[in-house]
Amino acid sequence: MSNEEQRKALATLLGRVIPAEAEQLGRRFAAAGHELALVGGPVRDALLRRPVTDLDFTTDAPPNRVLEVIDGWADAVWTIGIEFGTVGLRKGEHLMEVTTYRSETYDPKSRKPDVSYGTSLVEDLRRRDFAVNAMAARLPSREFVDPFGGLEDLKAKRLRTPGLPEDSFNDDPLRMLRAARFASQLGFTIDPPVLAAMREMADRIEIVSAERVQAELSKLLCGAYPRAGLAALDVSGLAAYVLPELPALRLEIDEHHRHKDVYEHSMIVLDQAIAQEEDGPDLVLRLAALLHDIGKPRTRAHLEGGRVSFHHHEVVGAKLTKKRLMALKYSKEIVTDVSRLVELHLRFHGYGEGEWTDSAVRRYVRDAGHLLPRLHKLTRADCTTRNRRKADRLAKTYDALEERIARLAEEEELGRIRPDLDGDEIQEVLGIKPGPLVGKAYKFLMDLRLDKGPQDKEAAKEALLAWAREEGVL
């Protein structure tokens, strides 16, 4: 196929995925004397035959001129990114962003980029992170523009920068994380010179805000190939700055103290957790699977006979998880849920061959709360033994625990367990006013409920009065 035939074929392919609204927008810009091109991710995904959702455009028109062109045509407009040259809009069901040709550079000590506008589409593409994202389709003509070999990189499944990677990463250090993220999302390999530059410049990531790092890490973890992305973070040295607990999992193994490679174990647990997902990527579950053993390096102890212990690593790991996720500016809900899963991930191993009482099962359910379905998945994923007989035994034991939980849930509505007396009734029985004592009494009754199951009101009152006498309240 000649170059001209290939361009026509690509224009036809892009025409199938570019919505009519995009071509309408291209005609408006052309009528106003300006260029417009679909650029970056949408073009890449169209060529990969992946779904194209949000549409990104670039233009020679400055932001204020963009506002004039779309006035009266867009259904909604927002200008939150206008200082960086970006105008957002909605037309029908399509979300679009139009960005003026530009370049970004970071001062060595600044986390905020300096933005300057340009007049050339090719120069705008030159500043982009990777060649596979430096392709464009001019509108309304659909002319395919690929000055840096992005199409060949797509075929080779390769991540390469349009220019020197050192220049690219110096302009925007976040691009190093984006390389790892695209390795996860697309399954592409990172070109050796790019990886070498990432190793050399990894410390530059420290000038990027925690919020932007977190966004890239979340996308990486929710990609189709998260292990590839995490491996890129590890081998490039970036993990030492954004997730230092990850390389720390590579515990030293010597001839006298042999034990599992905790890093590899964690990767397998992540894979096995993902295999249980039902409604797409679950960021909380994936974070918990990745971080569940990060307390091991801090708690490792060598015992006689070459044995190794990690006592209370789940408790230490929960604290480390909370600290790391807070530093990455994750939401309070994600921090709480992930650290709780890390704390609880070993609880099942006290179940033995089913020795737990119904009280212990109730506590397991109560402590997990809304995280119980995820805890089930994490606990099952944490079995990475190569001993098939042992793995089958653990699976059957957990099956039995889930069956007990289901039976008790049906009998007692475990998800809504409450003490048999509420706060008002506690105050009435003990003749006290609202205060800390009511909370202590409530906790006593909750423990009683978990230990013995449902009680009638009279039995609960008698137990509460007996407790109060022992506590010296009455």
Side-chain angles (χ1 to χ4, degrees), residues 3 6 18 42 66 78 80 88 167 170 175 181 234 238 283 310 314 325 334 350 356 398 435 442 446:
N3 288 341
Q6 184 180 62
I18 296 175
V66 171
W78 52 95
I80 190 171
D167 292 342
N170 192 58
R175 291 173 177 171
R181 190 247 287 185
D234 186 36
L238 281 169
L283 178 61
F310 304 98
E314 74 281 12
L325 296 185
I334 288 179
W356 277 2
Y398 205 84
Y442 188 93
M446 175 60 79

Side-chain angles (χ1 to χ4, degrees), residues 105-313:
T105 57
Y106 279 83
D107 182 273
K109 297 181 181 179
S110 172
R111 294 188 173 189
K112 192 172 183 180
D114 293 323
V115 175
S116 57
Y117 299 137
T119 57
S120 164
L121 174 59
V122 171
E123 289 306 309
D124 181 81
L125 295 176
R126 187 188 302 278
R127 73 164 183 85
R128 293 179 180 268
D129 52 7
F130 302 105
V132 294
N133 294 329
M135 299 179 288
R138 293 185 185 275
L139 295 176
S141 67
R142 301 184 204 156
E143 176 194 351
F144 181 61
V145 182
D146 180 22
F148 303 106
L151 187 60
E152 288 302 313
D153 284 357
L154 279 187
K155 294 176 182 177
K157 295 187 175 182
R158 174 178 60 214
L159 290 171
R160 188 177 50 83
T161 54
L164 292 175
E166 292 82 2
D167 292 342
S168 180
F169 298 154
N170 192 58
D171 287 346
D172 184 355
L174 188 67
R175 291 173 177 171
M176 295 185 287
L177 270 186
R178 286 170 63 84
R181 190 247 287 185
F182 286 126
S184 170
Q185 289 183 325
L186 302 174
F188 285 13
T189 58
I190 300 174
D191 202 40
V194 175
L195 188 57
M198 291 166 66
R199 288 195 189 100
E200 183 180 341
M201 303 176 68
D203 63 327
R204 283 278 287 156
I205 200 66
E206 291 187 297
I207 72 167
V208 180
S209 70
E211 290 84 355
R212 296 186 76 194
V213 170
Q214 176 232 104
E216 291 297 326
L217 180 61
S218 296
K219 291 175 183 177
L220 183 160
L221 283 173
C222 291
Y225 311 95
R227 284 188 69 168
L230 292 168
L233 290 184
D234 186 36
V235 299
S236 68
L238 281 169
Y241 297 94
V242 302
L243 196 64
E245 294 79 8
L246 182 64
L249 293 176
R250 294 192 181 280
L251 301 176
E252 294 179 6
I253 302 177
D254 60 43
E255 59 181 326
H256 302 295
H257 301 100
R258 297 186 181 278
H259 55 274
K260 286 182 179 179
D261 180 334
V262 184
Y263 177 94
E264 181 60 24
H265 165 76
S266 298
M267 295 301 106
I268 295 172
V269 172
L270 177 60
D271 286 341
Q272 295 184 164
I274 290 171
Q276 299 176 72
E277 291 176 339
E278 299 160 325
D279 299 309
D282 182 341
L283 178 61
V284 168
L285 178 63
R286 294 189 182 199
L287 280 168
L290 176 65
L291 303 176
H292 77 285
D293 272 348
I294 64 171
K296 281 190 171 180
R298 293 278 188 94
T299 58
R300 182 177 58 162
H302 297 301
L303 308 177
E304 293 182 4
R307 293 178 298 117
V308 177
S309 71
F310 304 98
H311 289 312
H312 303 303
H313 76 266

